[in-house]
Amino acid sequence: MQLAKVVTRAAEGRTVRSVHLRIGALRQVVPDTLAYAWGFVSRDTGLGSAELDIEWVPAAIECPEGHRNEVGPLDGLVCPECGLPGRVISGEEFTIVDIDVDA
Ligand SMILES: [Zn+2]
């Protein structure tokens, strides 16, 4: 998992307490799967006690008419107001917002 590498590097040998992530709905990350994978990876990398603190970002699109709407996973990327295909304006995030380490 790429995430563990980045976190390990950022921690510079300090004990990581928690990792604050922002994940967009379009990433199709399943919370349970992520927690499971994190449990595995964190044990192998010395991040064993670090917790994941995840902020979920809803998917949103903007259509050519300028309508901005949140869309659900089954809605597709079509404007619910006019039916035109929109471009994604949020929901593709996978960002490490913050890492708490022991001083
Ligand atoms: Zn529209």
Side-chain angles (χ1 to χ4, degrees), residues 5-17:
K5 270 187 214 159
V6 175
V7 172
T8 308
R9 205 174 305 144
E12 296 170 334
R14 292 165 295 183
T15 304
V16 179
R17 268 192 252 171

Side-chain angles (χ1 to χ4, degrees), residues 63-67 69 79 81-84:
C63 78
E65 301 290 327
H67 305 131
N69 288 283
C79 177
E81 291 180 61
C82 65
L84 292 171

Side-chain angles (χ1 to χ4, degrees), residues 48-81:
S49 57
E51 284 183 21
L52 287 185
D53 174 18
I54 300 167
E55 182 185 327
W56 299 96
V57 182
I61 60 168
E62 181 179 313
C63 78
E65 301 290 327
H67 305 131
R68 290 175 172 221
N69 288 283
E70 285 187 12
V71 289
L74 302 175
D75 293 342
L77 301 179
V78 174
C79 177
E81 291 180 61

